[in-house]
């Protein structure tokens, strides 16, 4: 198995946001600012890497009939740790992200990586897969947060640059920007497939 293929699958071909369209609830709600997007991206990456690690480590002793509940318990453990750390050390960010940190537990991307990859591969490749999938998620949500904050609020990382069009920090703006991103991404993938054939 090639590491480059794992990265390509996690970041491009199987990008959780732009290709698979999973975990969009938190993506659409949180990405109104770049700071929120970066915090959520880091939280999701940590949970994906650690859950892949532990699921891969325990894959041979987890009974197949109860594997999904066990995966959810492992994922929920790391989400709870992230939630408590944010609450203790970044209370303002914790208030901003609110309910969406606990919702990482039901993020389809993390459970899908556990079921389709970590449960079938060794620890090293599972960590790489968790990192690649988390990075694909991070790039997409941070790009979305950057564009929405810049156009919607006219600021970057809270620093005002110009007067923005507030529509883009509201829910309709999230759908518009995400739709444009997905369209561009699909055009890129189609063009790439034509070049390969």
């Amino acid at each position: 198995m090639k590491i480059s293929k794992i990265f390509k699958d996690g970041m491009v071909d199987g990008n959780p946001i732009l290709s698979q369209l999973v975990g969009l609830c938190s993506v659409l709600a949180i990405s109104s600012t770049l700071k929120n997007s970066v915090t959520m991206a880091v939280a999701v990456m940590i949970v994906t890497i650690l859950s892949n690690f532990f699921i891969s480590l325990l894959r041979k002793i987890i009974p197949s009939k109860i594997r999904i509940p066990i995966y959810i318990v492992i994922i929920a453990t790391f989400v709870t740790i992230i939630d408590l750390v944010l609450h203790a050390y970044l209370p303002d960010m914790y208030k901003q992200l609110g309910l969406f940190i606990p919702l990482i537990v039901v993020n389809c991307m993390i459970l899908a990586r556990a079921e389709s990859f970590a449960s079938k591969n060794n620890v090293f490749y599972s960590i790489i897969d968790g990192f690649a999938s988390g990075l694909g998620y991070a790039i997409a949500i941070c790009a979305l947060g950057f564009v929405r904050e810049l156009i919607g609020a006219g600021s970057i990382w809270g620093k005002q640059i110009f007067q923005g069009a507030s529509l883009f920090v509201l829910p309709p703006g999230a759908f518009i920007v995400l739709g444009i991103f997905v369209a561009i991404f699909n055009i890129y993938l189609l063009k790439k497939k034509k070049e390969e054939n």
Side-chain angles (χ1 to χ4, degrees):
M1 183 174 296
K2 290 185 179 177
I3 292 174
S4 59
K5 186 183 184 312
I6 296 172
F7 270 97
K8 186 174 174 252
D9 288 346
M11 293 174 60
V12 181
D13 296 339
N15 185 289
I17 296 172
L18 302 176
S19 176
Q20 297 177 351
L21 302 174
V22 295
L24 294 184
C25 176
S26 62
V27 169
L28 293 168
I30 293 302
S31 65
S32 58
T33 68
L34 182 57
K35 192 181 283 188
N36 288 356
S37 299
V38 168
T39 306
M40 181 60 87
V42 169
V44 168
M45 280 183 76
I46 290 169
V47 171
T48 308
I49 292 166
L50 292 175
S51 60
N52 266 20
F53 169 75
F54 276 95
I55 289 164
S56 178
L57 192 67
L58 302 171
R59 75 185 191 280
K60 292 181 180 173
I61 61 169
I62 295 173
S64 65
K65 288 183 180 179
I66 58 166
R67 71 187 187 287
I68 300 298
I70 290 174
Y71 297 167
I72 291 171
V73 168
I74 291 169
I75 293 164
T77 301
F78 294 117
V79 171
T80 303
I81 292 167
I82 297 280
D83 191 55
L84 292 172
V85 167
L86 279 174
H87 189 65
Y89 296 103
L90 297 168
D92 292 336
M93 187 54 65
Y94 179 80
K95 286 177 190 169
Q96 288 280 326
L97 300 180
L99 176 68
F100 295 101
I101 291 294
L103 280 177
I104 294 172
V105 173
V106 291
N107 188 320
C108 300
M109 175 199 87
I110 299 169
L111 191 56
R113 296 324 301 157
E115 174 67 15
S116 67
F117 198 94
S119 65
K120 298 176 177 87
N121 292 283
N122 69 34
V123 172
F124 175 74
Y125 287 126
S126 295
I127 290 170
I128 299 294
D129 177 72
F131 179 73
S133 297
L135 192 58
Y137 177 94
I139 290 167
I141 194 173
C142 289
L144 198 62
F146 175 82
V147 169
R148 286 184 66 201
E149 183 178 2
L150 181 65
I151 297 171
S155 62
I156 296 292
W157 205 263
K159 297 197 188 290
Q160 198 68 38
I161 300 169
F162 58 87
Q163 183 65 41
S166 60
L167 168 71
F168 288 94
V169 292
L170 299 173
F175 283 101
I176 292 166
V177 176
L178 180 63
I180 292 167
F181 276 26
V182 170
I184 292 168
F185 187 74
N186 283 322
I187 290 166
Y188 163 76
L189 287 181
L190 286 171
K191 189 177 176 184
K192 194 175 170 192
K193 280 182 185 174
K194 283 181 183 176
E195 287 172 1
E196 287 172 358
N197 293 334

